[in-house]
Amino acid sequence: MTIEIPIQSLEETQQLAEKIAIRLQAQDVLTLEGDLGAGKTTFTQFLAKELGVNRHVNSPTFTIMKQYEGRIPFNHLDVYRLADSDEDLGWDEIFYGDAATVVEWAQLIEPDLPVERLDITIKRIDENQRLFILTPIGERYTLLCEEIMR
């Protein structure tokens, strides 16, 4: 199952983030793929806001991971700098702990990702338009996608 969601504005991006955020639980993992400037960090900022995170959320490119407190703890990873690295950051603790996790550039750590997750690809159409492609892997994420499409 793959769901394509055309997005015409930042407001629609925020609405999609809200639909997902209200359903997130600890140990949920979302992966974000897309070219530079596609909107991965913007989507993550909206998601964090909907999770009740009060701090400013920005890309953790140099620190690899930032953790935030909200309705549930929230991990934001940008693993771009881990390309061609064998470094293990304690993936089990990150993915199977008490937080929901968003991973940008997740394809770079594919073998370390949980088998079940929600893969999200963001394609930039133009300055305002994006195409979000959601690929749920596992029953939990299939149900989540069905709920957000209602």
Side-chain angles (χ1 to χ4, degrees), residues 13 31-47 57 59 76-78 80 102-107 120-123 130 132:
T13 302
T31 67
L32 294 179
E33 301 295 340
D35 293 334
L36 289 172
K40 296 180 299 294
T41 301
T42 299
F43 175 78
T44 302
Q45 289 169 335
F46 287 139
L47 192 74
V57 173
S59 184
H76 180 200
L77 285 82
D78 181 332
Y80 184 78
V102 169
V103 184
E104 295 186 35
W105 303 102
Q107 82 275 8
I120 301 173
T121 300
I122 306 172
K123 293 188 177 182
R130 304 291 188 268
F132 278 69

Side-chain angles (χ1 to χ4, degrees), residues 64-128:
I64 310 297
M65 182 173 80
K66 291 186 178 179
Q67 297 178 304
Y68 302 94
E69 291 298 323
R71 176 179 59 81
I72 56 175
F74 176 64
N75 298 326
H76 180 200
L77 285 82
D78 181 332
V79 298
Y80 184 78
R81 294 185 60 220
L82 295 181
D84 301 321
S85 171
D86 293 335
E87 189 166 347
D88 181 345
L89 297 179
W91 302 120
D92 285 349
E93 291 177 24
I94 293 169
F95 296 135
Y96 302 108
D98 63 351
T101 302
V102 169
V103 184
E104 295 186 35
W105 303 102
Q107 82 275 8
L108 298 173
I109 61 165
E110 179 75 30
D112 299 309
L113 292 171
V115 174
E116 295 193 6
R117 61 187 185 265
L118 177 58
D119 290 340
I120 301 173
T121 300
I122 306 172
K123 293 188 177 182
R124 185 177 191 271
I125 307 302
D126 63 26
E127 186 64 30
N128 296 314

